[in-house]
Amino acid sequence: MALTGVEIFKLLPKTNCKKCGFPTCLAFAMKLAQRQASIDLCPDVSEEVKQKLGEASAPPVRPITFGVGDKAVKMGEETVLFRHDKKFVNPCAFALEIKDTLSEADINSKIEEVLNSEVERVGQKLRIDAIALTNDSNDIGKFETSAKVVAEKAPAVPVIVCADNPQATEAAVKLFADKKPVIYGANSENADAMANIAKTYKAILGVTANGLDELSNLTEKIKSLGVTDMVIDSGARKAKDMLRDNTLIRRAAVKKNFKPLGYPVITFAQRDDSLYEALIGAIGVAKYSSIIVLSSIERWKNLALFTLRQNLYTDPQVPMQVEQKIYKIGEPMSDSPLLITTNFSLTYFIVSGEVENSKVPSYLAVMDCEGLSVLTAWAAGKFTAAKIAQFIKESGIENDINHRELVIPGYVAILSGSIEDKLEGWKVTVGPREANGIPAFLRSRA
Amino acid sequence: MAFAPPKETYSGKVYAVTIGTGENTITFGEENVLPFHTFEGITPNRPIIAYEIQDVPPIDWPENVQKPYEGISNDPVSWAKFCQDNLKANAIALRLIGTHPDRENRSPEDAAKTVRDVLSAIDVPLIIVGSNHAEKDAPVLVAAAEAAKDRNCIIGKAQEANYKTIVAAAMANNHKLIAMSELDINLSKQLNILITQMGFDRERLITDPMCSALGYGLEYTYSVMERIRLAALTQNDVTMQPPMLGDIGMYVWKVKETQASETDVPQWGSTEERGITWEAVTAIALLIAGAELLIMRHPRAIEAVEKVIEELI
């Protein structure tokens, strides 16, 4: 259970030595209770107290890094149930299931799909993060052979080794030693052997059970065997059960600081129908999964899932921004209209969508206003005549168009005169106040 | 360590809203828990998906979502019958987009005739929405509400700029009403209060906090919906207890991802599958956030979402 500031204070030396950087032990205790400081800052506290506090002050969902290097995935560290309370921290990983019953050629082509899955969206590079190799054959040799193909062809991609036979697991996982793989998994039958393998190969141990009670007991047992990094699976496969268990797991961790379930969740979303599978995956994205295993990764499906993840893991306190530049909408020519707006992503999306709807090819100048919308940016002095003039001049758009007319948002009509003063030879036209007026506005001029 | 499931108790409940008449009524809402949290309360009714049709041919829809309605969508009556009889729609949403001054600018009388024609052809409940032109919607929805008198439809959308006329029309003709505000829980609450102050029964309202498509502000709609639902259930805020609408199709089928060809953007994959998935994923996200009523376009997207709802309840 989480300790209060006063409970923590009782365990501290109470010397007010300031070595931790805080003025008093009580102030430090308060920071510890809010998880804004680490007990390691106190040089005088005993190891025993450290351990006790370390446990109590650890994040409710254990932080774990899956894989190594550039493609490593951070998991856990979540602190809330609803994204409007505080940002969801570590976006879930998507993993492609590869069965060891496939031919080497088929395994290779699945690996290729994973390696080529990267797309860019709003400045972020998004991809299928991991491979889940499954021992469907129940054959140790076959599993090991398939693991070799994966290790060789996709050496940088984090891997989940899925087998319930410890021997098969060990045969495959040794190929990923030092790469922080996930072993999936330990169950009530094989927990001891699996825990040993996880320790030997420094792997994260996936733990699966029949329900949350059994799962809690199992993670406690495995922890007592010396494995600290786990990902958990309640065994739920039906959407209804998955949503229930994931919700209860997150609640228990965040609200009760219940350690046995304070681990990232792995979700198996596989379905025969790919669209259906995408929707089950979408539930996982929204409801607390840290790894989502898929059976196929068509590009259209990836894009939708990546986008959902990006949307829901956005910090609700920090506006999403798009890159400052002149965007081409349709295939604009030198006489096409030029409009300007700010770089708040929602503003950009709505304005560019309406320009697109108008079917009038246009240039859309999107100016960096630190992600503020038009009126807010204007009020904050970031969308001013001088800055707009400077942006237009430096953008080089004057080489692409043969006219000198700039359409500004109706809400900042007040700027039209001063922009004309600062942009010599330009005419400023006041456009509609709301984006939904853009199609009629552009068509009436075409 | 034994696990005690940390269950929540909620003090509030979402209103049940019934639409349609005779044997074909449907009810949504009435749950006293967060969406699909059947393990800690009651969820008597499943969310409803209405098929969207419109009063004029859907020339503004992308080709991939026009296709399923080819040959029948040039007439709202045959389109409505096709949705009801062939696609087994539970409800139909008629959008009077042709009344928009920038479109065909059809008159309120034309709109009323379309409403009468569609209603005489179908038995399932009807949702009637305007063209989202605040000024024009007022006379159009008044005429439409009269034409649909006593058929227990949903009409909308009443917005801050035009709600008085539309509320009066819904009240006089015994309809349910959609109240729409723009992505802000306080605006939603305020509009619901203004409408109930006119004497409109709170239990006949549907809140539309404004939809957004996946990738285009979905997270705003998602969080506003979650906050509205939490206010309704955990704070027992009666002004936030009407069911919520996700008007998905019109937002989804205008974004680039539902239209750009695979030749232009090969890394995005099949255009058709992408569009359908975009609509379905948007729908699932909003159901999870709290929507009880959805308006959608593509039959395959609707079918997939229905299947997931089946698995969730």
Side-chain angles (χ1 to χ4, degrees), chain A residues 106-171:
Chain A
D106 286 346
I107 293 178
N108 274 322
S109 77
K110 290 228 169 210
I111 293 170
E112 279 301 306
E113 265 187 276
V114 172
L115 295 175
N116 294 322
S117 63
E118 189 166 287
V119 285
E120 193 173 322
R121 194 172 191 287
V122 211
Q124 291 182 356
K125 289 192 164 120
L126 311 165
R127 59 174 169 261
I128 295 297
D129 307 275
I131 288 172
L133 181 68
T134 64
N135 185 208
D136 277 44
S137 68
N138 277 323
D139 181 295
I140 296 172
K142 212 162 192 174
F143 196 44
E144 189 177 1
T145 313
S146 307
K148 272 185 189 143
V149 178
V150 173
E152 187 182 318
K153 298 284 167 56
V157 178
V159 171
I160 308 167
V161 172
C162 303
D164 46 24
N165 173 349
Q167 282 169 289
T169 301
E170 184 154 24

Side-chain angles (χ1 to χ4, degrees), chain A residues 83-84 121 213 216-217 239-240 244 251 255 258 261 271 276 286 300 304 307 311 344 346 349 354 440, chain B residues 1 3 6 8 38-40 102 215-217 219-220 222-223 227 254 257 268 273 277-278 308 311:
Chain A
R83 61 179 295 282
H84 57 260
R121 194 172 191 287
D213 203 32
S216 311
N217 290 326
K240 174 184 177 166
R244 178 198 60 213
R251 253 189 219 163
K255 297 181 84 170
F258 183 72
L261 295 180
R271 294 290 188 280
Y276 195 39
W300 47 267
T307 305
N311 281 174
F344 175 36
L346 204 51
F349 285 139
E354 294 295 353
Chain B
M1 200 186 287
F3 175 67
E8 293 282 350
T38 49
F39 54 93
E40 55 192 0
D102 296 339
Y216 294 82
E219 68 273 28
Y220 294 89
Y222 184 90
S223 283
R227 292 179 62 199
K254 67 178 182 187
E257 282 81 351
W268 286 2
E273 297 303 320
T277 309
W278 220 258
V308 175
E311 201 180 310

Side-chain angles (χ1 to χ4, degrees), chain A residues 327-435:
Chain A
Y327 291 80
K328 288 182 182 175
I329 298 175
E331 281 167 24
M333 316 280 276
S334 57
D335 59 349
S336 296
L338 169 67
L339 300 88
I340 189 165
T341 192
T342 67
N343 76 329
F344 175 36
S345 67
L346 204 51
T347 301
Y348 164 75
F349 285 139
I350 292 172
V351 171
S352 62
E354 294 295 353
V355 174
E356 216 155 299
N357 284 344
S358 75
K359 309 273 190 244
V360 179
S362 306
Y363 291 99
L364 178 62
V366 174
M367 191 172 132
D368 181 2
C369 298
E370 293 167 31
L372 298 179
S373 63
V374 168
L375 262 188
T376 335
W378 171 74
K382 298 184 195 307
F383 197 53
T384 63
K387 288 179 180 168
I388 291 172
Q390 188 191 2
F391 168 46
I392 292 297
K393 273 186 203 146
E394 288 173 1
S395 70
I397 184 69
E398 286 175 323
N399 303 325
D400 297 328
I401 52 175
N402 60 16
H403 63 83
R404 293 291 178 263
E405 184 191 12
L406 177 65
V407 179
I408 63 170
Y411 277 114
V412 290
I414 193 168
L415 291 177
S416 61
S418 46
I419 298 174
E420 281 181 356
D421 290 345
K422 298 200 161 63
L423 262 183
E424 216 171 302
W426 281 72
K427 172 176 178 269
V428 171
T429 300
V430 176
R433 291 162 75 93
E434 298 289 346

Side-chain angles (χ1 to χ4, degrees), chain B residues 1-292:
Chain B
M1 200 186 287
F3 175 67
K7 297 207 174 147
E8 293 282 350
T9 45
Y10 304 93
S11 50
K13 184 173 159 181
V14 178
Y15 294 123
V17 171
T18 301
I19 54 172
T21 52
E23 287 174 8
N24 290 291
T25 62
I26 46 174
T27 302
F28 51 93
E30 210 178 351
E31 69 274 13
N32 68 352
V33 286
L34 288 174
F36 308 108
H37 284 40
T38 49
F39 54 93
E40 55 192 0
I42 57 156
T43 305
N45 302 299
R46 60 186 283 159
I48 300 298
I49 305 178
Y51 276 80
E52 178 174 348
I53 66 169
Q54 56 184 39
D55 58 341
V56 290
I59 43 163
D60 53 320
W61 292 17
E63 194 193 325
N64 283 322
V65 67
Q66 278 191 37
K67 241 181 358 193
Y69 304 108
E70 212 174 345
I72 44 120
S73 56
N74 48 357
D75 166 36
V77 172
S78 61
W79 193 355
K81 277 190 78 65
F82 177 77
C83 291
Q84 172 183 284
D85 300 337
N86 298 52
L87 302 174
K88 308 292 174 213
N90 293 314
I92 288 167
L94 169 64
R95 194 179 305 277
L96 299 165
I97 192 73
T99 61
H100 197 287
D102 296 339
R103 295 282 304 260
E104 289 78 353
N105 200 15
R106 297 177 80 230
S107 68
E109 295 71 35
D110 291 341
K113 182 175 184 311
T114 305
V115 168
R116 269 192 297 271
D117 292 348
V118 168
L119 274 171
S120 61
I122 59 166
D123 304 316
V124 295
L126 184 67
I127 299 164
I128 304 163
V129 284
S131 64
N132 206 21
H133 185 280
E135 211 173 305
K136 181 74 180 282
D137 273 359
V140 166
L141 290 172
V142 167
E146 281 168 9
K149 189 174 175 59
D150 295 329
R151 289 293 297 264
N152 195 17
C153 299
I154 298 174
I155 68 162
K157 300 165 180 180
Q159 305 180 44
E160 196 193 345
N162 63 12
Y163 73 95
K164 285 185 180 155
T165 328
I166 299 170
V167 170
M171 219 161 14
N173 298 287
N174 293 321
H175 297 302
K176 308 297 192 290
L177 179 71
I178 300 165
M180 185 183 95
S181 45
E182 294 185 357
L183 286 177
D184 182 314
I185 184 171
N186 296 314
L187 293 178
S188 267
K189 189 177 159 85
Q190 184 190 333
L191 183 59
N192 287 358
I193 291 171
L194 289 173
I195 289 173
T196 47
Q197 278 172 351
M198 285 181 67
F200 194 84
D201 187 356
R202 191 182 289 127
E203 301 185 26
R204 300 171 68 86
L205 269 180
I206 289 129
T207 302
D208 179 358
M210 196 165 157
C211 191
S212 0
L214 175 61
Y216 294 82
L218 178 71
E219 68 273 28
Y220 294 89
T221 303
Y222 184 90
S223 283
V224 171
M225 281 189 169
E226 281 199 327
R227 292 179 62 199
I228 288 178
R229 196 43 80 237
L230 284 166
L233 298 173
T234 61
Q235 295 156 33
N236 197 16
D237 180 345
V238 292
T239 65
M240 301 271 72
Q241 287 173 346
M244 286 188 285
L245 166 70
D247 191 358
I248 287 168
M250 67 174 283
Y251 286 92
V252 163
W253 290 100
K254 67 178 182 187
V255 309
K256 197 161 63 185
E257 282 81 351
T258 58
Q259 311 189 28
S261 76
E262 192 173 357
T263 331
D264 289 344
V265 211
Q267 67 273 27
W268 286 2
S270 154
T271 314
E272 186 172 8
E273 297 303 320
R274 193 193 321 132
I276 293 167
T277 309
W278 220 258
E279 185 172 34
V281 168
T282 305
I284 290 295
L286 296 187
L287 286 174
I288 294 286
E292 285 91 355

